[in-house]
Amino acid sequence: MTSSQLWTRATADRYDAEEAENSSAAALEPALAFLAELAGDGRALEFAIGTGRVGVPLRERGVPVVGIELSEPMAAVLRRKVDEETLPVTIGDMATTVVPGEFTLVYLVYNTISNLLTQDEQVECFRNAARHLVPGGRFVIELGVPPLRFLPPGQVAVPFDVSERHLGFDTFDLVEQTLVSHHLTRDGDHSHYRRAASRHRYAWPAELDLMARIAGLERERRVADWDGAPFAEDSGKHISVWRKPA
């Protein structure tokens, strides 16, 4: 098992409600179109499929999807939406778990590679993707760019969301290349906030390219969002595509 933190049943049960805005048809459409085009007529494997926020609607578009998920409670929520025969899910970590068959697409969205807390594990994640890909297949990652330019000397925290319902900020350990995401979420009755925190290892785009090279993959494309906007120095995240040579 890797260093990824396990999602609990309580977290899994409220995940879809908390991610409702990011799970709407309008919000997901660019990502689904992007992934479906790369999958083509082949099969797709989602690392850390979670509750199926992306995998289930991608399957509904006609792409055969298989998932790997570390958290049994998250997978149980997915199973309420779709049966095992339609969308198989293997419980295990995304760095070492192997599932049967080959895929034209392996994808890992929503910053989830940062759940692997060591560089070695992140490299193994790339190797695992390459292991599952057919020649010419692609590995796709969606990941935020570390916002370290917002850290003046002596400051360790950067806010990423300040809204009526949620306060979110990251605190950074620049030596260990890790961060902790802190969340204060107002409950439905607005009477109090619920506090949560999760630890992550951030990685720069160039570091991911080196991991891909170690795994035998070649970078094909990097864009700033699922709509394909150019990646630039002020982009807050990137969608990166690496290809397994034919």
Side-chain angles (χ1 to χ4, degrees):
M1 179 175 167
T2 68
S3 59
S4 296
Q5 295 176 293
L6 277 172
W7 293 70
T8 65
R9 182 169 301 279
T11 302
D13 285 343
R14 60 174 176 257
Y15 182 83
D16 284 348
E18 293 183 345
E19 293 295 330
E21 183 178 349
N22 293 321
S23 303
S24 68
L28 283 175
E29 176 56 31
L32 297 176
F34 191 107
L35 296 171
E37 180 181 2
L38 290 180
D41 296 328
R43 303 163 71 220
L45 172 61
E46 180 172 357
F47 285 173
I49 195 170
T51 65
R53 182 182 70 92
V54 175
V56 171
L58 186 61
R59 178 66 185 85
E60 291 171 349
R61 291 176 78 104
V63 177
V65 176
V66 174
I68 293 174
E69 173 54 45
L70 184 62
S71 167
E72 292 190 40
M74 293 288 277
V77 174
L78 180 151
R79 195 53 66 221
R80 299 171 197 164
K81 306 171 185 177
V82 62
D83 60 52
E84 174 71 15
E85 183 177 353
T86 303
L87 202 166
V89 175
T90 298
I91 301 301
D93 69 83
M94 56 187 162
T96 64
T97 300
V98 178
V99 299
E102 293 182 311
F103 301 84
T104 57
L105 173 67
V106 178
Y107 65 96
L108 180 54
V109 299
Y110 213 29
N111 300 322
T112 312
I113 194 171
S114 69
N115 290 357
L116 299 171
L117 299 180
T118 70
Q119 186 183 68
D120 285 345
E121 289 173 350
Q122 291 179 351
V123 169
E124 288 307 311
C125 181
F126 272 83
R127 285 181 166 145
N128 201 28
R131 184 180 299 126
H132 286 90
L133 287 171
V134 300
R138 275 90 167 194
F139 182 33
V140 176
I141 284 182
E142 175 188 24
L143 185 63
V145 177
L148 300 189
R149 66 183 183 277
F150 296 122
L151 282 176
Q155 181 174 313
V156 297
V158 174
F160 59 84
D161 185 36
V162 179
S163 61
E164 181 68 20
R165 183 175 169 273
H166 176 257
L167 301 175
F169 59 94
D170 293 329
T171 53
F172 290 84
D173 184 329
L174 302 182
V175 174
E176 295 297 325
Q177 200 170 312
T178 59
L179 63 87
V180 177
S181 285
H182 304 265
H183 302 266
L184 294 171
T185 305
R186 181 172 287 180
D187 281 339
D189 60 5
H190 289 191
S191 61
H192 65 282
Y193 281 91
R194 180 179 67 257
R195 183 174 180 175
S198 58
R199 191 162 175 252
H200 305 268
R201 181 185 188 274
Y202 62 86
W204 300 95
E207 184 181 5
L208 297 182
D209 287 341
L210 183 55
M211 293 181 189
R213 185 181 303 176
I214 292 170
L217 304 176
E218 302 171 346
R219 194 180 90 192
E220 183 175 77
R221 181 168 30 147
R222 173 165 293 133
V223 292
D225 56 34
W226 294 110
D227 288 313
F231 181 73
E233 63 179 17
D234 59 348
S235 297
K237 72 172 186 179
H238 60 96
I239 315 296
S240 294
V241 182
W242 298 272
R243 183 175 179 270
K244 185 174 183 176

